[in-house]
Amino acid sequence: KRPREVPLRPISTMPKSWKGALERPSNKKIEFRYPKKGSDLEIRTCIQTRSSLSWTEQIDNLLSSGQQQLKREPRTNMISFTIADINYARDMLHDVHQMTETIVGFGGSFFIVAIDQETVELACTYLYPVVAWSSAKGDAQSAALKHDVANTKFEVSLYLTSLNIDFFFYEMDVWFLQSPIDTIVEFHSNRTNDILISSHQSSPMTINIGVYSVLANERTKEFFELCILMASESPNTHDQWIFDQLLLLASNLRRGYELRGKFEHKWDPPPKTNPPKMKYPPNHGLYKSYEIVAGPRPLPTTSTLAIHTLCGKPLSTPWGKKMLAKELGSWYGFKSQGNEAAGYYVRSGRHRRYIMLDGFDSPNVYNTMQSYDFGLELDLFTDLTSFRWTIATILALARRTSRIFIMPSVLSISGAHYLWSVLDFQEVDKMGISYRETNFMHNRKSWLSEDIPISSAARTALAPIDEAGKESSMYAQFPSEGSSEIKAWEFQEGISDGEALDIFFAMHTAYPQIHDAELLLVNPHFSGAPYFSKFTASKTPQTVSQREIMDVLQRLKWCPPTNRKDTIVAREDTVGRSTADMACYGQGKTFK
């Protein structure tokens, strides 16, 4: 039923039984169950070994018969590796190992090259095979080490070929949907196809070095030696361009074409050895552009093996890349061990606690196109202050009730927009509020079972009925004996806005049926700017709920459209055009 069809009960003060709920937020906690850590001795030994050995010695150590932590994947006869810093490892360390084992198919054959000390220590904590790159032991900001890190994949690739080890490499911003092993085996089966590499979705004949497999032989050994030579002589040139131009050189040599011209276009500066001498040109092939889908806005198909999210500037916006992968449904989402699931998507029992913005016509959408159908709106649904206050209220309730916040989309005249394009979630991280992508509930991996998304839901609303600037009623709908029960209250004269808001906040933990529901949908639809201005103008909010909302609101940062400071979203930043570069993370400004 809609709220206006439900009889209203008068309420003039906080019910005695609810006062404790207001003073004491939820005692439930958001937990994540990670794999078992190593012992203190094992962790300390791992870190000390990485600090005392060179990176080549560390690889030898991983491969040695006595310490063997890596074995070759039997069908490809390869090992695999990736390169990571803490921006990826912090929330992807378990994901990438589980994905590699369960989807990619290289479980037990995979290691991480860590380019900072934090990643080394985190990998050692869980005893994952890791190699500490030289940058993890020195000044990561030095120019020499920045150049060194940029060419890590070349150095490691050369060393593995020198050991006569075939290998498969992929970057941390590549998310696999299906195993590439069949494709790898077929391409390399004749042992004359040396390098299989991905391309760009928008330019299928242009290579992308986010994914490649290599046979170790004299051709690939010389190839990576030349990659390193070119990188040293042209330190400002993108490593992908170096790889591309050397493959082009190899293709021309294999066809017997006469070499003309030098490496000049896009080389900064052009290398001294120009063009380089290549005695043993390798033979390469490309994944189909729909197999490894690489682009700023990847569009996967049923034949896609993996997506690779790109951005305008290489090696940047890791948060935006990860968020786009989540919205596309390709994020792996680590799974916890044991009977009680508490991973990213797969969660069970008490760990399934979510909160979403509610609305009668468009749940989990902040609709700037029409009202929530309460009648008296005065076009305040397009008000920037209303929008920011509403988001702050939901986040404050998420923190108070210990729930995971599921981002709403924002609907404008141009279409749907992601909240993360205008809200800086770095500040949400700092407040310790857990959150999920907009499409979380549309992803079946998050469902309770194959057919059931959630087990229970409760809905609450604070609604203006009579007078703009005053919340005069509130509602609740929750599970009850196999059906649902609806409660509705009308605030009586003499109760202040802040007291009414306190009662509304207390209700969410005072009612067990609301507090224990798996999904909580909240419509905190305050009437408009006159109400907010009382709080934003006050340096000392008077009530518990006001203080909690203001604490969140004052810490949030936003990325307003560059051409209009008074609109909610940029008209051009719609879901269909979203890229990692649009992420507001770490870019926001405080709203005043």
Side-chain angles (χ1 to χ4, degrees), residues 187-188 191-196 213-217 219-220 254 281-284:
F187 178 80
H188 293 295
R191 304 300 294 178
T192 59
N193 290 335
D194 303 306
I195 302 173
L196 177 62
S213 56
V214 174
L215 297 184
N217 53 45
R219 296 183 296 277
T220 55
R254 291 180 67 85
N283 187 30
H284 79 280

Side-chain angles (χ1 to χ4, degrees), residues 363-417:
N364 215 34
V365 174
Y366 192 91
N367 193 340
T368 71
M369 299 299 296
Q370 68 179 47
S371 73
Y372 286 106
D373 201 26
F374 276 124
L376 183 60
E377 294 296 336
L378 305 177
D379 293 331
L380 289 172
F381 47 88
T382 62
D383 181 74
L384 185 60
T385 308
S386 300
F387 167 66
R388 289 172 171 168
W389 184 272
T390 298
I391 298 301
T393 302
I394 295 288
L395 288 170
L397 277 171
R399 186 165 63 174
R400 160 170 278 272
T401 61
S402 295
R403 291 181 177 274
I404 297 172
F405 169 71
I406 299 177
M407 300 181 194
S409 60
V410 182
L411 188 63
S412 79
I413 193 172
S414 302
H417 306 256

Side-chain angles (χ1 to χ4, degrees), residues 322-329 407 418 420 437-440:
K322 291 182 286 188
M323 187 53 64
L324 188 59
K326 293 173 183 178
E327 299 291 11
L328 291 171
M407 300 181 194
Y418 289 129
W420 48 264
E437 67 272 16
T438 317
N439 290 323
F440 181 79

Side-chain angles (χ1 to χ4, degrees), residues 149-169:
V149 169
N151 298 290
T152 304
K153 58 171 69 77
F154 291 163
E155 297 277 2
V156 177
S157 296
L158 174 60
Y159 189 65
L160 292 176
T161 57
S162 70
L163 295 177
N164 201 33
I165 295 176
D166 303 342
F167 65 90
F168 176 55
F169 166 78

Side-chain angles (χ1 to χ4, degrees), residues 33 336-342 347-349 351:
R33 295 182 176 269
S336 60
Q337 309 300 316
N339 298 326
E340 200 172 18
R347 301 177 70 82
S348 63
H351 299 296

Side-chain angles (χ1 to χ4, degrees), residues 192-259:
T192 59
N193 290 335
D194 303 306
I195 302 173
L196 177 62
I197 191 168
S198 60
S199 62
H200 290 81
Q201 187 172 35
S202 61
S203 181
M205 300 307 294
T206 304
I207 70 161
N208 178 279
I209 58 174
V211 179
Y212 59 85
S213 56
V214 174
L215 297 184
N217 53 45
E218 62 180 0
R219 296 183 296 277
T220 55
K221 183 175 182 292
E222 181 191 46
F223 177 81
F224 286 110
E225 287 174 341
L226 290 176
C227 284
I228 294 170
L229 176 64
M230 294 295 97
S232 65
E233 293 184 354
S234 185
N236 300 320
T237 301
H238 189 200
D239 56 356
Q240 185 165 276
W241 184 248
I242 294 173
F243 207 114
D244 176 272
Q245 292 299 286
L246 288 175
L247 284 181
L248 180 61
L249 174 62
S251 296
N252 287 335
L253 290 173
R254 291 180 67 85
R255 294 185 177 95
Y257 294 164
E258 181 181 353
L259 296 181

Side-chain angles (χ1 to χ4, degrees), residues 81-94 96-97 110-123 130-133 135-136 140-141 145-146 149-150 152 169-173 175 314-319 321-322 331:
F81 76 96
T82 191
I83 301 168
D85 65 8
I86 196 60
N87 290 317
Y88 283 102
R90 182 183 291 110
D91 57 352
M92 280 189 63
L93 182 67
H94 306 301
V96 72
H97 281 88
F110 175 75
F111 69 97
I112 286 179
V113 178
I115 60 175
D116 56 34
Q117 185 61 23
E118 288 178 280
T119 302
V120 173
E121 294 176 0
L122 187 59
V130 61
V131 169
W133 195 246
S135 57
Q141 300 304 313
L145 281 177
K146 282 186 176 181
V149 169
T152 304
F169 166 78
Y170 62 91
E171 293 179 345
M172 285 288 284
D173 52 6
W175 288 272
L315 304 176
S316 63
T317 61
W319 190 92
K321 291 180 178 180
K322 291 182 286 188
W331 179 264

Side-chain angles (χ1 to χ4, degrees), residues 295-316:
R297 175 69 185 179
L299 298 174
T301 70
T302 55
S303 300
T304 296
L305 303 176
I307 73 160
H308 183 189
T309 53
L310 305 179
C311 60
K313 184 179 180 181
L315 304 176
S316 63

